[in-house]
Amino acid sequence: MFHKKKRKALTVVLGALLLCNVTPAGASANGSEFKDVSPDHWGYETISWAKENGIVDGYLDGTFKPEQSVGQTEFLAMLIRAYKPKGFSEQSSDSDWRTPYIQYGFKMGWGGSYIVPPASKLSSSTKSEISEPRMYVAKLITNAIGRNYSFDDSIRFLLDSGLSKGKTDNTVAGFKGNELLTRAEAVTFIRNVKSKLNMLYPSPERETAYDPKTLTFSPFEAFPLIVVQPDKYGPFSHITLTTPSAGYTLIHDPSYTISGTVQKAVGEELTTTVEYWDNGEFISEKSLKTPITKGDFKTTIELPKPGIFRIVIYSKQENPPTDTSITTFYVEYKPK
């Protein structure tokens, strides 16, 4: 699946992240403790932590319902509330409290849990929260760490990285991916993730195989380089990149050259956009037109400051007549 400059609503994966059946912020339980979570409950400390940090509110009757399974958007909201990322606001454009959380998930490309309906139709949905299997939780957390793996590979990644110990043992089978996650388990999962992950990251659009060698890589270092070719999604320009040769490149000079060949051109130029990663969101820096000359293209970008930049190359598309992203990669500028 590939981006379009004018984004369509993707079917995202906010699926069943481990959130508790969270009510909208402000609908909090009275007092500092929940009536149904006693100090001797195994999750008491973590549930108290989640309430104190504004991650969960509980129910108006003063309960938390720790053994109840979590809903798909509930966990998403819990995850986002735990980080309070830049570019996110709880203010909803309609009467549905879930809308801003869903929209943020779309923006970050977290497409592994198959959330429906899309954000544009969410406010008209009358369906209650859907409880989903633990494997969807693994998929969403992996997306939020800047990876896009299959369900089993997502579980392996979480186990290898210490973000989960499984339910019965430290294996894919022991993770019990088909079972539902309770609210108490959800806040425990969130707290563990929060202790190891400093911020939320955008996910690659395409799923790749998990390679344990990349376990210690940053989300940007592990980013796969994929060039979309014009098959069933065409016709648009068919290119091969010469530079870069990987999804992440570290440079020590602010000038960076992108080049490649064009096997088939739609239009006379490509468009290259440059965005700066501002610790939680991308800030647009510039957009460049790159002429296609005798089957080749080449452009040099002057990066304005040290940091990580997301670079996207777009091609014109014949039908519908719009610009389509054909590859995305990261460049980190770190002066010596």
Side-chain angles (χ1 to χ4, degrees):
M1 171 176 287
F2 53 92
H3 287 77
K4 291 193 184 277
K5 209 169 184 179
K6 297 179 180 178
R7 289 179 180 263
K8 294 182 178 178
L10 294 174
T11 297
V12 161
V13 293
L14 310 175
L17 258 183
L18 6 322
L19 196 4
C20 308
N21 220 323
V22 175
T23 58
S28 60
N30 295 323
S32 59
E33 297 180 352
F34 295 111
K35 294 190 299 186
D36 57 347
V37 182
S38 64
D40 60 354
H41 186 281
W42 68 267
Y44 175 80
E45 182 183 353
T46 298
I47 294 170
S48 298
W49 166 84
K51 184 175 185 295
E52 290 168 5
N53 285 276
I55 297 170
V56 297
D57 295 322
Y59 292 90
L60 292 175
D61 63 359
T63 64
F64 179 70
K65 298 181 176 23
E67 305 311 316
Q68 180 171 295
S69 59
V70 298
Q72 63 174 203
T73 316
E74 291 175 330
F75 181 80
L76 177 63
M78 178 186 286
L79 180 68
I80 294 173
R81 288 178 185 177
Y83 284 89
K84 301 176 177 65
K86 289 184 179 181
F88 173 77
S89 171
E90 283 192 329
Q91 296 299 315
S92 180
S93 58
D94 56 28
S95 59
D96 195 325
W97 71 270
R98 299 172 296 175
T99 299
Y101 298 101
I102 299 295
Q103 290 176 336
Y104 185 79
F106 276 61
K107 174 183 172 181
M108 297 294 278
W110 298 339
S113 303
Y114 311 108
I115 191 165
V116 287
S120 61
K121 299 179 181 178
L122 187 61
S123 60
S124 62
S125 173
T126 58
K127 293 182 180 180
S128 59
E129 281 291 302
I130 300 172
S131 298
E132 294 182 298
R134 292 166 56 92
M135 61 184 178
Y136 285 87
V137 171
K139 180 82 167 174
L140 180 53
I141 289 292
T142 302
N143 283 167
I145 300 176
R147 317 292 182 106
N148 192 351
Y149 303 139
S150 67
F151 288 118
D152 282 358
D153 274 359
S154 294
I155 294 170
R156 290 187 184 95
F157 174 74
L158 295 187
L159 296 173
D160 289 352
S161 61
L163 291 171
S164 174
K165 296 180 180 179
K167 187 166 185 178
T168 58
D169 59 53
N170 194 38
T171 65
V172 172
F175 185 83
K176 301 297 180 183
N178 289 317
E179 295 185 7
L180 300 179
L181 196 77
T182 69
R183 293 167 57 83
E185 292 172 330
V187 293
T188 301
F189 207 138
I190 288 289
R191 190 177 191 183
N192 193 26
V193 171
K194 187 70 167 61
S195 71
K196 298 176 185 294
L197 185 68
N198 62 346
M199 69 179 72
L200 302 175
Y201 292 90
S203 171
E205 290 185 24
R206 292 203 165 196
E207 189 176 286
T208 57
Y210 166 50
D211 181 356
K213 294 179 181 178
T214 67
L215 182 63
T216 59
F217 288 6
S218 74
F220 302 114
E221 291 173 320
F223 192 82
L225 180 64
I226 297 174
V227 179
V228 180
Q229 305 300 355
D231 43 30
K232 62 181 179 180
Y233 296 114
F236 51 89
S237 295
H238 178 182
I239 74 168
T240 299
L241 284 172
T242 302
T243 305
S245 58
Y248 166 86
T249 304
L250 174 64
I251 62 174
H252 303 294
D253 186 284
S255 296
Y256 185 71
T257 298
I258 301 168
S259 64
T261 58
V262 181
Q263 286 69 48
K264 174 188 175 183
V266 175
E268 298 178 348
E269 61 188 12
L270 301 171
T271 299
T272 302
T273 61
V274 181
E275 300 167 289
Y276 175 73
W277 175 247
D278 189 22
N279 292 322
E281 66 175 337
F282 283 104
I283 307 298
S284 178
E285 290 287 341
K286 62 183 70 177
S287 179
L288 308 171
K289 298 297 184 182
T290 305
I292 298 172
T293 305
K294 296 181 180 180
D296 296 315
F297 68 93
K298 184 176 182 179
T299 188
T300 298
I301 300 171
E302 296 295 330
L303 300 178
K305 53 193 169 185
I308 294 173
F309 295 83
R310 180 169 67 182
I311 300 174
V312 184
I313 297 178
Y314 293 88
S315 164
K316 290 189 179 301
Q317 179 169 296
E318 292 179 353
N319 188 24
T322 185
D323 284 359
T324 298
S325 68
I326 50 180
T327 189
T328 301
F329 50 90
Y330 292 100
V331 174
E332 181 174 6
Y333 167 38
K334 186 181 294 185
K336 289 185 178 180

